[in-house]
Amino acid sequence: MQSDAPPPIVQRVLPFLLLVLSCAATPPERAFDEAEAIAHGTDQERVRDLYRAAAQRDPDPLRREHAAIRAAHLEWRVFRNAAAARELLAPFDTTDAHGERARIELELAHDLPAARAAVERAQAAAKTNIDRRKALVPAAYLAFEEKRYRDTIAIAERVIAGVGPRTQSARLLLRAAIHANDDATALRAFRWYYADVPQLVPASVANRQELGRALAKARLYQEASLILDDPEIDAYAAALKRIEQLVDDHYRKAATGDESQRAFVKAVKKELPKDAASRFGAVTTFGETDGVSGMHFGHRVLDERRTVEQYGRRGSIRFILLDNMIANGFMAWILDGRSGAGGWAEKETVYQVRPMYANGPINAWLALTDPEQRAKKDREIADETRRDAERIKTAPVVALPGLSLRMERQYLEALRASAHTRDAFIARYRQEEFDHSIWAHEGRHSIDQTQFGIDDSEELEYRAKLSEIAFAASPRLALTGAILTNVGGDTPHGKANQRVLEGMARVTKVKLNALDSLSDEQLRNAARALDPLAKAQAGS
């Protein structure tokens, strides 16, 4: 009997050829943007192949390198193909490329000599202070894996001296100091880690056991278990490690469309103690975020009542700050922490995911005041502004990274002009970011859900983003907080962002890529003109 099906070799090769042709049909300068636009979705094979195409054909050599690193990251972290990742990185003798190679050897291959060689190449390739500081990060993690804890301390302290106490370096320093029995350094690292919530850290500790109890009270159970002889905390810390692996496996499967939410939930609940919420402050939510089933799992470090008011609607809101995040949704996982959920609202309760905010003020200060970082950002603004002119030709409303970067710079310059010291700048940035992204955004969710019964995700996000702009100390900061860079697509956030930007262009009668020409009050007024709740108040 004859068959119309193609022979087996064609069955295997045809899908690959179609994918190659699809990526080849994308203009060289658009492949990177297309990959970025769908980077947090579940079609990670296409994301990888678009990055691969950009790595080969993008006109900008810097974007070719970035694309190669991101494609390599997907190869080893999602598809577990270390060889393919190494091949992608091989043409690039840069600190970033060698740093990614070090991660492959440390996290996937567990090959310490190969990781050491990659770290040495990263350090040798460093030509600027930025690169030299970047090269210290994999060196610190390598030293920790090799149990050279004193070296880890020295390297981590150099990183912190150069860029400030970011959470990752502070927590690594904390763990190394505990292993090295250096309680003074451990307490200092503990204080740096929670610099934005200093009330969680004691001013002093009398002994090592008191330090361990303070760490447990601040929900850092993995570190506390290194000190305390407490079977309950040891068991919980071990369970967290196993759950992290379950999360990793689940999202890796989700990235290729092969996840089972039912099996995942069952496995997590098997590991999680029944009293985890009351005993350990655990907060777990299972469900779909940005179109992917998964979990948010963190630990409650602050829990207090606050009042929110918007357009005459007022309510008492319970605010919960989460840290020690074991999972924060698929987007945070697939983007390796570059973006992710900053919080959510459930009726009268607002949650903030602290790790998504803690480093932002420090990064903003450096981007503005460090000469090398500022010059790098200047080039990025110029390059992305030029690309925006091409992007806007494809559709009236698209993601515009150049506009976002310009508005961010406008905000930071204005902030620095009024907050003259580093500490004042960081404190103001932290407060203003919280006010728009949590208080205005999540507070609006609470109002819409409890007082109007709205449960449509896109509509909730649309209204919340309008509130962000209208009630922000700086609408520019609100707009650069992903509204301008995640536009369209199939997610509630992307759809809502598109509606917001379409509406603002219509109301202001200004082309989208010229929104930065408007004053803060003009931007606020545009958001109010679009908001159903603001219009209802005006008409009452």
Side-chain angles (χ1 to χ4, degrees):
M1 175 187 284
Q2 286 189 324
S3 170
D4 292 331
I9 185 64
V10 176
Q11 289 177 345
R12 292 195 299 271
V13 172
L14 186 58
F16 172 75
L17 290 176
L18 290 173
L19 187 58
V20 169
L21 291 171
S22 172
C23 290
T26 302
E29 67 279 5
R30 290 289 302 161
F32 188 89
D33 285 346
E34 286 192 26
E36 293 282 277
I38 62 171
H40 59 277
T42 55
D43 190 0
Q44 289 299 313
E45 290 186 357
R46 176 153 179 79
V47 176
R48 175 200 59 194
D49 289 317
L50 283 166
Y51 279 135
R52 277 183 169 273
Q56 295 172 357
R57 301 186 289 123
D58 195 284
D60 184 336
L62 188 58
R63 290 227 297 187
R64 289 199 295 273
E65 180 194 345
H66 289 167
I69 291 171
R70 291 188 181 176
H73 185 78
L74 292 176
E75 286 287 14
W76 74 263
R77 190 157 177 260
V78 174
F79 302 105
R80 314 305 270 177
N81 191 338
R86 294 183 187 111
E87 184 180 355
L88 277 159
L89 297 171
F92 300 96
D93 183 22
T94 65
T95 298
D96 287 341
H98 293 310
E100 188 68 24
R101 175 66 182 268
R103 287 193 64 183
I104 296 170
E105 309 308 342
L106 278 174
E107 298 179 37
L108 180 60
H110 305 293
D111 185 337
L112 294 182
R116 193 177 309 113
V119 166
E120 290 170 357
R121 288 193 294 269
Q123 293 170 328
K127 301 294 190 296
T128 65
N129 287 331
I130 294 175
D131 285 344
R132 281 186 278 275
R133 289 196 294 260
K134 282 182 180 179
L136 290 173
V137 175
Y141 281 100
L142 173 64
F144 187 85
E145 290 299 316
E146 292 180 327
K147 296 182 171 54
R148 294 185 288 112
Y149 299 123
R150 285 292 172 189
D151 288 343
T152 308
I153 290 170
I155 299 168
E157 287 186 327
R158 284 178 62 193
V159 173
I160 291 169
V163 299
R166 291 180 174 138
T167 53
Q168 298 92 330
S169 53
R171 197 163 184 183
L172 180 65
L173 176 62
L174 172 59
R175 291 183 177 183
I178 291 171
H179 280 291
N181 296 312
D182 185 345
D183 293 350
T185 297
L187 182 60
R188 186 166 66 252
F190 188 9
R191 191 171 295 121
W192 278 336
Y193 180 78
Y194 274 133
D196 53 327
V197 275
Q199 63 269 40
L200 297 178
V201 185
S204 62
V205 292
N207 52 55
R208 192 167 174 80
Q209 290 300 301
E210 189 174 321
L211 173 62
R213 288 191 294 272
L215 289 166
K217 186 177 180 181
R219 312 300 192 189
L220 298 179
Y221 297 109
Q222 298 92 322
E223 288 78 8
S225 71
L226 299 175
I227 296 174
L228 300 176
D229 184 15
D230 185 323
E232 194 175 22
I233 288 178
D234 288 345
Y236 187 65
L240 293 182
K241 186 174 183 179
R242 292 192 296 271
I243 292 171
E244 284 181 329
Q245 187 59 56
L246 290 171
V247 170
D248 208 47
D249 292 343
H250 174 73
Y251 283 139
R252 187 172 296 109
K253 292 175 182 176
T256 56
D258 188 35
E259 86 282 6
S260 169
Q261 179 71 354
R262 178 178 293 183
F264 172 64
V265 172
K266 183 179 179 181
V268 170
K269 288 185 175 179
K270 182 179 178 181
E271 296 289 353
L272 201 60
K274 287 185 170 54
D275 64 348
S278 60
R279 172 69 181 85
F280 298 105
V283 174
T284 56
T285 63
F286 296 95
E288 190 173 285
T289 305
D290 285 321
V292 181
S293 296
M295 176 177 70
H296 297 275
F297 178 11
H299 294 83
R300 188 175 61 249
V301 294
L302 286 182
D303 189 341
E304 56 195 31
R305 280 274 170 188
R306 300 190 180 188
T307 300
V308 61
E309 182 174 353
Q310 295 183 16
Y311 302 119
R313 300 282 179 168
R314 186 176 183 179
S316 176
I317 302 297
R318 182 185 179 192
F319 171 73
I320 295 176
L321 181 66
L322 300 176
D323 195 64
N324 197 5
M325 299 299 296
I326 305 305
N328 191 31
F330 179 74
M331 183 190 294
W333 186 87
I334 196 66
L335 297 183
D336 202 26
R338 297 197 308 274
S339 184
W344 65 88
E346 294 177 358
K347 295 185 179 179
E348 295 184 358
T349 302
V350 172
Y351 297 87
Q352 183 188 14
V353 178
R354 177 184 169 269
M356 299 306 300
Y357 292 83
N359 296 330
I362 296 171
N363 296 340
W365 174 258
L366 288 170
L368 195 65
T369 62
D370 180 88
E372 284 185 3
Q373 292 207 34
R374 186 180 176 102
K376 182 179 178 182
K377 185 66 72 173
D378 287 342
R379 290 193 297 272
E380 187 180 0
I381 291 172
D383 289 344
E384 293 299 341
T385 295
R386 175 179 51 78
R387 294 187 186 106
D388 278 356
E390 296 302 314
R391 293 172 180 127
I392 203 74
K393 293 177 183 177
T394 65
V397 176
V398 292
L400 294 175
L403 173 63
S404 180
L405 290 168
R406 294 198 307 275
M407 296 186 86
E408 179 187 44
R409 173 62 66 79
Q410 289 173 338
Y411 166 71
L412 295 178
E413 292 284 17
L415 179 59
R416 189 185 182 193
S418 58
H420 303 292
T421 67
R422 176 187 180 276
D423 288 348
F425 178 99
I426 287 175
R428 276 268 304 280
Y429 185 105
R430 181 171 288 130
Q431 185 62 53
E432 291 178 3
E433 185 179 39
F434 173 86
D435 286 346
H436 84 78
S437 63
I438 294 297
W439 213 228
H441 185 108
E442 302 300 342
R444 179 58 181 273
H445 280 338
S446 183
I447 290 171
D448 284 334
Q449 289 171 326
T450 60
Q451 299 191 29
F452 298 100
I454 298 172
D455 61 3
D456 178 83
S457 296
E458 180 189 331
E459 184 63 22
L460 285 168
E461 292 302 332
Y462 172 67
R463 291 169 177 236
K465 290 167 191 291
L466 292 175
S467 280
E468 279 195 71
I469 298 166
F471 292 101
S474 171
R476 282 166 163 73
L477 181 61
L479 282 160
T480 59
I483 293 177
L484 282 167
T485 53
N486 175 20
V487 180
D490 296 328
T491 69
H493 282 279
K495 292 177 181 178
N497 290 340
Q498 182 159 349
R499 288 174 61 189
V500 168
L501 296 176
E502 285 174 346
M504 294 195 73
R506 183 177 66 253
V507 167
T508 62
K509 296 181 171 52
V510 168
K511 287 185 178 180
L512 183 60
N513 61 346
L515 279 183
D516 57 328
S517 67
L518 299 177
S519 69
D520 282 353
E521 198 54 33
Q522 286 174 313
L523 294 169
R524 290 192 192 96
N525 287 338
R528 294 176 188 132
L530 295 168
D531 196 309
L533 194 54
K535 289 188 282 188
Q537 184 191 44
S540 61

